[in-house]
Structures are given as structure tokens and as C-alpha cells.
Amino acid sequence: MQIETALLVGLLFAVSVYLLLHKSFVRILFGFVTLTNATNLFLISMSGDPDGKRAPILAEGSGPIVDPLPQALVLTAIVIGFGLTIYLIMLLYRIFLDAKTTDASKLFLPEADDE
Amino acid sequence: MNNLLVLPFLLPVLTAVICCLFVGRPGVGRRVFIAISAAAQCALAFYLAVRAFHEPPLVLLMGGWAPPLGVVLVVDGLAAIMLCLSTVVALACILFSYAEIPVWAEQPLRLPLMQLLVAGINLSFLTGDLFNLFVAFEIMLVASYALLTLEANDRHIKEAFPYLAVNMFGSALFLVAAGLAYSVFGTLNLADISRRAEAMQGDFGVMVVAVLLVVVFGIKAGVFPLYYWLPNSYPILPFSLGAFYSGMLTKVGIYVLLRTFGTVFPHNLTQLYTALAWLAGLTMVLAVLGAVSRNFIRGILSFHIVSQIGYMILAIGFFTPLAIAACIFYVIHHIIVKSSLFLIGGTAMFYNRTDNLARMGGLLKASPILATCFIIQAFSLAGVPPLSGFWGKYAIILVGLEEHRYWLVVAALVASVLTLVSMLKIWMGAFWQKLPADGTADPEAPAAARTMTAIVCALTLISLAIGFGAEFFFGIAQTAATSLLDPAQYREAVFSLTGKGGQ
């Protein structure tokens, strides 16, 4: 499980950085979504190798359990990432309404009243 | 009575919630309520500071869980200083915004969001837990994203996007760093991390976590090569908010760097300190060149933030007890001076109706008091003795000479001279030159302009007091630095308390 997770996290980070470096704000948004997922996966993988371990519910018998703390952390991280994604979508929508484009190279043209 | 420690976070949150739920509409009553709340936070911060300097670090166990199980809040000397600064600047900016905008034109969400921003900043000073620090950063950043785009116009809103993208990337890295720290140290409590890191000295894992945290807080503080988001996004803010952002937001990054290097990690990461010092040198010089190239007040001042950050990081990079004390002193000086310069810019804009230097002028005649305040603060920022900026720079350069880091000293001096050049550019453009034919130097509301000038004067007096009472303030900074660099004291304060689930 460990090596596959590590490869997947690496792949997700690569895809998200590739997307974040684009000019189009829509791609940056998708880059951010991928980035939060990559981070969350990384965080949950910090509980170690889950093979042969139970879910951390103490009432259901004994034996080795997976470390529950990263799961608690990842819940917080998911909520924060979700909120930020919604915020970015709304901002993008506003930029699109204003400028009718989401391409940064067309948005950043200097204007006459630029200060 | 340590329950008081939660109040610097709780008071602004409650104020924001009450404002949103019960008093949704802007009005005079709501303004008075928020001002009283800000003043109360200020008084509380000073009370905590007095206690923190006379007692060992104050600790509160959240939910009564024994460390390292629960989240702890810790106030030591440095945290107390930062709390005082953030509440004072917040109060000044809130009062300034009352004069800047009439009640009918106020955005209803602006003041509640500003209170949430204060809450996030205060929580990051208070917390003694790495993941809680992440949450505090997110509260602060989400509030700052919302405020940045709340009143931005069509053209400005595009400038906000790089700020968002860079900071969100930084937050994701922070989360990775926190996860990695948990897997390396097996804990997220800062005191516990410091105990285990001491036992793991020289371990590769410690270095990886430290480097990741430096990258994260370097991004937040605006260190070269990742600073370009800052000087373009701050100018889109109204001046009263710009003053608060420029004073506090980047300094949270500096505070956390001080905390992680001083208290959490063992003091032997020499290569990392050297790398930080060189990055700081580049930051100082390149950012101040940016400031010289700008031609409007907010742009010049925003580049200066980055340049001044360079001095603080340089002091951290030298990493001697005197350098850390100098860094803390510099933070005290910088927050007050930078915020007041932004507010002076706001007042100047109120007179001239623009902050483009080509179209400003005549302010020396229109408001001699404002001009005096500006020249004092500008010289202070550049480091002219005996003003507050001189003492911080003097100590940092002294350490640099002692450590034989001559190139970095040269960079600091060059940046200082160029700071003066760009400040004189504002002085010539806005205050000295005659008013252009199409310009105006009469404020629409003279009473509001007088209030603004009074607030600016008060901040200038504080900064003068720091300059002339440098011995007292440097003493405070040294006390804070000594306790910051003594992890044993921090650990003892945290682990001496018992609670639920104790070992």
C-alpha cells in the first residue's frame, strides 16, 4: 500500500503544479483542487501502513489499529480545502462576468487609467 | 486565571459573529461597539504582556487535556509583544476606517471580516500546536482573501488572483509539512516536538521538516524568490486595510520562523541559517529597487514591506542571541512605522483624491502636521538616528560585522540608502512639489481629515517613543529573545500542567 500511495501522491502533485503554472484561471482552479486532494492523501498516508490493522473503533474488539490522528487532521483539511474551492469558483465567476475571459495573458493588459 | 489566554482569539470572533448575526447593517452604534471591542482586546493584550514578562510563560490547556494530547495556548514574551502590536494596529486601522469612509458607504462585511482576520492572527501567536497553527493561518488567510476582493473593482480583482494562488499553494505545503512533522516526531505539540527533535539531532527527518517549514513561512513572509505576489496585491486594498495587512500579515510569517527556529528546532541547523541570510540579502536589495521604480504611494510602500522583511530574516539568519533580540526590536519598530506610513498615505490621498505621485502635491502647505509625521516616519524607516529604525538596523549590522558577513552588511546598507531615496520620492511628489493645475488639495470632509491626522500623530508618537526609549524597548526585546531561545523553559511551562489523560 505504501509505495502505491507514495506514487499516487507524487503524480497528483506533479499534475497540480503543472496546472497551477498555466495562464488560464480555470486550469489554476483545477490545479488547486488536485493540490488539496494530493495534500489530503499525503496527510492520511502519514498514519503508516494499514495492512493488517483495524479501523480505530475500540468497542469492536482488540488488535492493532491504524493511527486515528491523521484522519482527524484530514477532516479539518478537507473542510478548509472545500471552502477555499468554493471561494475560488465564485471569484472566477466574477472575473469571467467582468472580463468575459479567464486567460491571465488577456486580463493583465495595461489600461489607460493604470496607476 | 489563565483562561484569559483564549480571549485574544475569542473576543474578535464573538465581535464578528455578533456584527454579522444581530447588527447586519453598518451604523454608528455598530462602529462604537467594534471600537470598544478593539480597545478591550488592546487592554487585554497589554495585561497579558505585563504578566508574561513577570512570570514564566502562561499556558492554557484547551478542554483540560494534558499535553501533548490536547491543544495548548502559550503566551511568552514574544507572543505577548506580537499580541500588543496586532491589537494596537487593529485599533488604529479601525478608527482610521471610520474617518476614511462615511457610514452610508461602508461595506457591511468589512469590519466583521477584519475582526476575523485579527482573530486568526492572534491565534497564530497564541497557539502551541503545529496543526492548530495551520488552522489559525487558514482563518487569517480566508479572511484576508475575502477582504482583498470585497471592495475591489473589475480591474483590481485580477491582481488578487496571484495572491490567492501563491498563498493557497503555501497552505498546501504547510499541511504537508505538518503531516511530515507528525510522522517524523509522532506529535504536533510544539513543546513535545522540541523535546523529541533535541533527541534526534542530526537526523535527516528533522532537516526535511525544517526546510519545508522555512519554504512555507518564507512564502507567507514574502522572501525572495517568492515575493512578487505581495507588492502587486496590497495596493488594491483601501488604505486602512492596507495598513493592517502591511503591518501584520507578513510579520506572522516572521513570528513563526522565530518560534520554530528559536524554540522548536535544535539550534544547529547552520546551513539553513546561512541560506536564509543570503535570501534575505537578495530580498532587501531587489525589493527596494522595485520600490524606487514605482510611482504611486501604495506601490512604493508595498515594495518596502518586502525589503524590510529582508532585514528581519537577515537577523534570523545570523542567529546569535543579539541578532534575535535585534529582529524582535525591528519587528516592533516596523509594524508601527509601516502601518502609520500607510495611514499617512491614506490621509494624503484624502487631501489629493489620488495617490499617483504625478498628480499629487501641495500637501506641505495643506497639512504641515501630516508632512512632519511623514518625514519622521520615512527617516525612521530608512534608519536615520536617533529614530526607531536606526537602532534595529544598527544592532543587525553590528552582528553582521562581528560574524564577518561583509557582503550582507553591504547589502543592508545599500538597501537602507535606497529606502531613503524612494521615501524622498514620495516626499517630493506629494508634499514638496506645487499642486498640479488639475489637482486639488482640499479634503471633502475637513473634520474626517483632522481625525485621520490625529490617529497618524498618535502612531508617530509611539514610534518616536520607541526611538528615544530604545534602551527600554531593546531590553524588552532581549528578555523576549532570551526566553525564546530557551526551549527548556517553554517545555517546562507546558509540561508542568496536568489534565485529563495525563501520563
Side-chain angles (χ1 to χ4, degrees):
Chain A
M1 277 293 275
Q2 291 288 72
I3 194 79
E4 294 92 325
T5 318
L7 287 175
L8 185 57
V9 169
L11 183 73
L12 281 175
F13 265 110
V15 170
S16 69
V17 170
Y18 173 77
L19 285 173
L20 278 175
L21 291 175
H22 272 274
K23 278 180 193 162
S24 157
F25 284 152
V26 179
R27 295 206 178 183
I28 293 180
L29 171 72
F30 279 99
F32 178 71
V33 173
T34 325
L35 187 68
T36 48
N37 282 318
T39 337
N40 293 343
L41 189 60
F42 178 86
L43 206 56
I44 198 102
S45 71
M46 285 298 123
S47 29
D49 194 351
D51 281 346
K53 292 180 188 166
R54 293 184 308 109
I57 303 169
L58 291 179
E60 289 184 1
S62 56
I65 56 168
V66 289
D67 189 351
L69 190 81
Q71 305 186 2
L73 301 185
V74 87
L75 267 181
T76 318
I78 289 171
V79 173
I80 291 175
F82 186 67
L84 285 177
T85 309
I86 299 294
Y87 172 77
L88 270 185
I89 291 172
M90 288 316 293
L91 188 68
L92 197 64
Y93 182 61
R94 179 169 164 196
I95 290 181
F96 182 73
L97 284 188
D98 287 343
K100 294 280 175 276
T101 173
T102 53
D103 188 336
S105 60
K106 287 177 194 141
L107 277 171
F108 286 98
L109 291 178
E111 289 168 40
D113 61 335
D114 229 358
E115 285 179 357
Chain B
M1 280 298 276
N2 273 354
N3 281 345
L4 276 180
L5 290 196
V6 78
L7 285 183
F9 170 68
L10 208 56
L11 272 184
V13 171
L14 284 180
T15 313
V17 169
I18 290 173
C19 282
C20 283
L21 292 186
F22 303 112
V23 225
R25 276 207 205 118
V28 179
R30 191 169 97 144
R31 286 187 163 192
V32 172
F33 169 65
I34 291 178
I36 290 173
S37 163
Q41 291 160 28
C42 207
L44 178 73
F46 276 96
Y47 170 72
L48 287 177
V50 170
R51 280 190 59 187
F53 273 98
H54 290 101
E55 294 168 38
L58 313 168
V59 182
L60 171 66
L61 307 176
M62 298 298 279
W65 292 99
L69 295 180
V71 171
V72 292
L73 300 183
V74 188
V75 171
D76 63 350
L78 179 61
I81 291 177
M82 300 303 289
L83 280 179
C84 291
L85 289 168
S86 83
T87 47
V88 166
V89 173
L91 180 63
C93 294
I94 287 171
L95 292 179
F96 190 90
S97 77
Y98 291 171
E100 192 181 34
I101 305 166
V103 176
W104 56 266
E106 186 185 305
Q107 226 294 342
L109 277 176
R110 184 202 239 211
L111 289 169
L113 278 172
M114 168 126 178
Q115 286 295 306
L116 282 180
L117 185 62
V118 175
I121 290 174
N122 286 352
L123 185 62
S124 31
F125 296 147
L126 286 170
T127 186
D129 183 280
L130 195 60
F131 196 77
N132 199 234
L133 183 66
F134 168 74
V135 175
F137 258 80
E138 286 306 314
I139 296 175
M140 169 182 105
L141 287 172
V142 170
S144 83
Y145 302 152
L147 271 177
L148 192 69
T149 47
L150 189 66
E151 291 165 274
N153 61 25
D154 298 356
R155 193 163 49 83
H156 284 158
I157 207 156
K158 303 159 207 160
E159 305 282 355
F161 220 86
Y163 175 92
L164 301 175
V166 169
N167 275 298
M168 284 176 180
F169 185 71
S171 301
L173 276 188
F174 191 178
L175 204 53
V176 169
L180 210 57
Y182 180 68
S183 81
V184 170
F185 301 115
T187 175
L188 287 165
N189 184 302
L190 292 184
D192 209 22
I193 291 181
S194 113
R195 188 169 66 182
R196 299 197 189 182
E198 203 168 40
M200 292 168 64
Q201 275 192 33
D203 192 287
F204 183 64
V206 180
M207 194 66 175
V208 172
V209 175
V211 169
L212 254 181
L213 286 177
V214 164
V215 172
V216 171
F217 301 120
I219 292 177
K220 307 279 181 196
V223 179
F224 174 84
L226 288 167
Y227 68 85
Y228 211 75
W229 56 270
L230 193 153
N232 285 332
S233 58
Y234 279 22
I236 71 177
L237 287 162
F239 271 104
S240 56
L241 288 175
F244 190 67
Y245 273 52
S246 67
M248 292 317 299
L249 282 198
T250 45
K251 258 54 75 187
V252 179
I254 299 286
Y255 166 81
V256 182
L257 278 178
L258 278 172
R259 171 72 62 212
T260 43
F261 281 133
T263 313
V264 179
F265 287 113
H267 297 170
N268 61 354
L269 306 168
T270 326
Q271 294 136 318
L272 207 52
Y273 304 149
T274 314
L276 263 184
W278 281 101
L279 285 179
L282 286 169
T283 313
M284 279 188 292
V285 177
L286 291 175
V288 84
L289 286 175
V292 173
S293 75
R294 292 290 150 133
N295 65 344
F296 60 106
I297 292 181
R298 277 180 283 198
I300 294 178
L301 292 179
S302 301
F303 263 110
H304 274 155
I305 304 169
V306 183
S307 166
Q308 306 286 313
I309 287 291
Y311 282 96
M312 299 167 210
I313 302 278
L314 182 65
I316 300 177
F318 288 154
F319 211 76
T320 64
L322 180 61
I324 298 297
C327 178
I328 297 173
F329 182 84
Y330 206 92
V331 169
I332 302 176
H333 138 79
H334 173 86
I335 290 177
I336 299 289
V337 169
K338 191 85 241 174
S339 307
S340 70
L341 275 172
F342 253 86
L343 294 183
I344 290 172
T347 320
M349 180 157 158
F350 204 69
Y351 277 95
N352 277 158
R353 317 259 169 90
T354 170
D355 76 335
N356 186 338
L357 289 174
R359 283 185 271 143
M360 296 180 81
L363 286 177
L364 183 60
K365 206 176 269 174
S367 176
I369 303 176
L370 189 68
T372 318
C373 288
F374 175 79
I375 204 79
I376 290 173
Q377 298 298 55
F379 278 159
S380 178
L381 193 71
V384 174
L387 299 164
S388 55
F390 169 72
W391 303 108
K393 283 186 183 172
Y394 174 74
I396 293 171
I397 286 171
L398 194 70
V399 176
L401 292 175
E402 273 172 8
E403 303 271 303
H404 307 290
R405 311 285 267 284
Y406 298 117
W407 283 110
L408 291 171
V409 171
V410 170
L413 291 173
V414 167
S416 186
V417 172
L418 288 175
T419 308
L420 193 58
V421 170
S422 56
M423 276 300 155
L424 287 179
K425 200 170 149 184
I426 300 184
W427 171 255
M428 300 298 246
F431 293 91
W432 198 251
Q433 81 174 353
K434 284 213 179 70
L435 191 66
D438 58 340
T440 167
D442 296 312
E444 278 168 27
R450 275 197 294 277
T451 318
M452 290 169 162
T453 315
I455 294 167
V456 166
C457 279
L459 284 177
T460 309
L461 284 180
I462 296 178
S463 130
L464 277 179
I466 297 174
F468 287 106
E471 195 178 338
F472 171 72
F473 283 95
F474 215 90
I476 287 182
Q478 267 178 326
T479 318
T482 319
S483 81
L484 179 78
L485 292 173
D486 183 11
Q489 192 195 358
Y490 187 87
R491 286 197 294 253
E492 204 209 300
V494 172
F495 287 115
S496 63
L497 293 175
T498 47
K500 283 184 274 183
Q503 294 136 323

